Amino acid sequence: MYPELNNLLNTTPDRAEQGKLTLLCDAKTDGSFLVHHFLSFYLKANCKVCFVALVQSFSHYNIVGRKLGVSLTAARECGQLVFLEGLKSSVDVFFRAQAEPHPLQFLREADVGNLQPLYEFIREALKPMEDGQAAWRYPVLLVDDLSVLLSLGLGAVAVLDFMHYCRVAVCWEQKGNIVALVHDSGDAEDEENDILLNGLSHQSHLILRAEGLATGFCRDVHGQLKILWRTPSQPAAQRDRSLTYQYKIQDKSVSFFAKGMSPAVL
Amino acid sequence: MESVVAQAGLVLLRDSVEWEGRSLLKALIKKSALCGERVHILGCEVSEDEFREGFDASVNSRLIYHDVFRDPLNWSQSGEALPGGPLGALQAMCRRTDPGPVTIALDSLSWLLLHLPCPALCQALCALSQQHSCPGGGSPAEPVRVLCLLHEELHGPGPLGALSSLAQAEVILSGTMGQASAHILSRRPQQHPTRQTQWFSILPDLSLDLQGGPPLESQPHPEPHTPPVSKGAGARTRECGGGVRDSSHEQRKHPLDLQVDPTAHMTFNLHLSESERAAKDSLTLPFQFSSEKQQALLRPGPRQATGRIFYEPDAYDDLDQEDPDDDLDV
């Protein structure tokens, strides 16, 4: 996890809020550093994490995780991390017997599918242990990323329904957290993606939006991060807060600074 | 705003990601409940606990919550889902038999619009909002107010237009500088539609605090293409027939009551503490000719080397014997 981002979000692994949906989105840049941050954050917070990784392989996340101080291999072995490697297991859909439903069953279905098998997999992975002993603090679902599901043929409403059920199971029933990444297509007219992004934005408590700089690529400033705190149902004493910072991604950390205050130009 | 929203019929609250409308919906529900009405809520987007948060016990007892959130598509097969799904729940509300004025809140209409076909939804809304007499006859028709929360970024112009045409009042939420505003368009039968802009805020106890005008005139010189009901228009009611734009570029220049504080979200410190200020004032600048320096120069100490210039004229120097340099006072 990146300590500077923790400072900006005013949170630490020990006192993170529960029952929240955090939406990560990126536009014209790669926002996956935020996924790595939250993965290591919740592993360090001693939470049970279910990671639906549809974009990269396990070793990729493991290598980055080691730089951030967590070992995904160890976490998986001791049961803290349930890792669904989409790239590998999608092939299993075709070569396995059809007896039991596969989380990515929708890949086989000819008609418009739904994500109920994936929801059941997540629910099973994050359900509290039967013996009553709480080995981990609270469950966390991490999805990287949801736009891939749209590319695989699902409709935006199906993905929204899946996230709805995940919110019921994880955020409401078990007071856990969900972090999901959605790409913003920006200028490209992608109505389904816009419906997914806006629909999830309305349900989120925190939106982190990584954008490329409007002026193009820069060696010292990799992008801009907009943080928006939302309260979907409760009016807060202070209005929804929004902050904007610029960042530079380094090998093991990300440094944040106010707009125009990059150390390279000062 | 209250008279407009208090009328019977369908009221659309159109919000956006930046300016959420659920708190306004809850504030209006609280108002209705305190007036003695029964409030039915079809909850699709947030859990019942989260929705009831903020209401006190007297209001909560008047709210009847129909929970679609927990299992809208019957995936759990546990039998807890409402029969007939969301549409069935909506149609069941049309057939309720409570006496007395009733407010129905749909949270949210966007969720229903994404899951139900638009014609069926519009028909159900029509049936809900029309005044009808209670079964058994005798008693007069009771007004029904239907408050719907709609996230306008999620829908295209077609469904939005269809819902707008059904609505008796539309409240579009926006704001500026942290202050929320509601642009209210109300259509009364056989009258011209009226437009009004109202600045407001929702207090933590979910009561509505109406404010007179915007906190700050952010644009003293409006752009030429500003629409007539822009943020700076203030709380004025104007008759607008047939979409005629009146020339409201004469925006009232509000005095700058509230200065925007540029140091509000600074990431570095611009202020000086008392000790820092004292240290700064007592600092002697290097090129300031203070009395101490004067005294030091008048009495050159053994340490101080007076500056001496050693010059050796080279071959190209032109020493004028008639005008020597010795008389220069340097």
Side-chain angles (χ1 to χ4, degrees), chain A residues 172-192:
Chain A
W172 180 60
E173 283 179 6
Q174 298 192 53
K175 302 286 177 284
N177 289 344
I178 300 182
V179 180
L181 175 67
V182 179
H183 295 300
D184 188 0
S185 50
D187 297 331
E189 299 269 346
D190 190 347
E191 288 180 15
E192 293 276 297

Side-chain angles (χ1 to χ4, degrees), chain B residues 4 7 168-170 184-188 192-195:
Chain B
V4 163
Q7 67 188 21
Q168 270 71 50
E170 268 180 79
I184 305 163
L185 168 66
S186 74
R187 296 187 189 86
R188 290 201 177 88
H192 283 302
T194 58
R195 294 172 192 269

Side-chain angles (χ1 to χ4, degrees), chain B:
Chain B
M1 156 126 90
E2 296 157 11
S3 61
V4 163
V5 178
Q7 67 188 21
L10 185 65
V11 179
L12 288 182
L13 302 177
R14 291 167 56 160
D15 72 347
S16 57
V17 173
E18 211 189 322
W19 298 98
E20 57 91 19
R22 190 166 285 115
S23 44
L24 178 61
L25 177 70
K26 287 170 76 165
L28 295 175
I29 287 173
K30 177 176 170 171
K31 243 188 210 316
S32 302
L34 291 176
C35 291
E37 298 179 12
R38 292 171 75 82
V39 183
H40 291 261
I41 301 162
L42 187 67
C44 312
E45 279 193 357
V46 295
S47 64
E48 183 172 354
D49 307 325
E50 198 178 332
F51 194 86
R52 285 186 184 266
E53 219 178 303
F55 292 124
D56 53 17
S58 60
V59 173
N60 260 325
S61 58
R62 294 190 170 277
L63 304 186
I64 301 160
Y65 199 86
H66 305 263
D67 195 351
V68 174
F69 170 77
R70 209 182 306 186
D71 193 1
L73 305 174
N74 203 19
W75 281 4
S76 67
Q77 304 278 338
S78 62
E80 282 180 5
L82 295 176
L87 186 59
L90 195 56
Q91 285 163 344
M93 281 182 153
C94 304
R95 293 189 294 267
R96 47 139 203 104
T97 55
D98 308 41
V102 155
T103 296
I104 297 177
L106 301 182
D107 176 21
S108 66
L109 190 58
S110 283
W111 193 95
L112 293 170
L113 196 52
L114 287 177
H115 290 84
L116 303 173
C118 188
L121 183 60
C122 289
Q123 283 170 354
L125 285 177
C126 259
L128 257 186
S129 56
Q130 273 165 9
Q131 301 179 8
H132 58 275
S133 56
C134 293
S139 52
E142 295 289 357
V144 177
R145 179 164 65 251
V146 184
L147 301 170
C148 305
L149 183 62
L150 190 63
H151 308 306
E152 51 182 12
E153 302 111 330
L154 295 182
H155 310 290
L160 281 181
L163 291 171
S164 289
S165 62
L166 288 178
Q168 270 71 50
E170 268 180 79
V171 180
I172 302 172
L173 294 168
S174 66
T176 180
M177 300 292 198
Q179 181 68 43
S181 70
H183 172 56
I184 305 163
L185 168 66
S186 74
R187 296 187 189 86
R188 290 201 177 88
Q190 295 166 0
Q191 287 183 21
H192 283 302
T194 58
R195 294 172 192 269
Q196 181 188 4
T197 301
Q198 177 71 59
W199 298 85
F200 70 96
S201 64
I202 312 277
L203 303 174
D205 66 348
L206 292 175
S207 44
L208 197 54
D209 178 26
L210 301 175
Q211 273 137 21
L216 174 70
E217 184 64 58
S218 55
Q219 282 184 355
H221 302 288
E223 297 159 8
H225 55 268
T226 311
V229 284
S230 65
K231 300 165 200 162
R236 285 179 293 176
T237 307
R238 283 192 311 285
E239 306 276 76
C240 274
V244 170
R245 286 175 173 244
D246 60 338
S247 56
S248 67
H249 300 312
E250 15 96 46
Q251 290 183 6
R252 285 177 301 181
K253 290 203 173 36
H254 294 270
L256 296 180
D257 303 320
L258 272 174
Q259 289 285 355
V260 176
D261 184 13
T263 62
H265 296 296
M266 200 76 77
T267 56
F268 45 85
N269 185 19
L270 274 184
H271 304 286
L272 289 174
S273 67
E274 285 308 313
S275 55
E276 286 168 346
R277 199 183 299 275
K280 181 184 164 196
D281 289 338
S282 63
L283 185 67
T284 310
L285 295 176
F287 299 104
Q288 190 178 352
F289 196 62
S290 62
S291 57
E292 291 93 11
K293 269 210 174 160
Q294 193 178 13
Q295 295 303 318
L297 283 174
L298 286 175
R299 289 188 221 89
R303 284 185 295 123
Q304 289 180 8
T306 53
R308 295 182 63 180
I309 301 172
F310 299 94
Y311 179 67
E312 289 174 7
D314 55 4
Y316 301 101
D317 250 348
D318 182 19
L319 292 172
D320 190 356
Q321 297 302 325
E322 290 177 20
D323 187 15
D325 291 332
D326 296 334
D327 59 354
L328 291 175
D329 186 17
V330 279

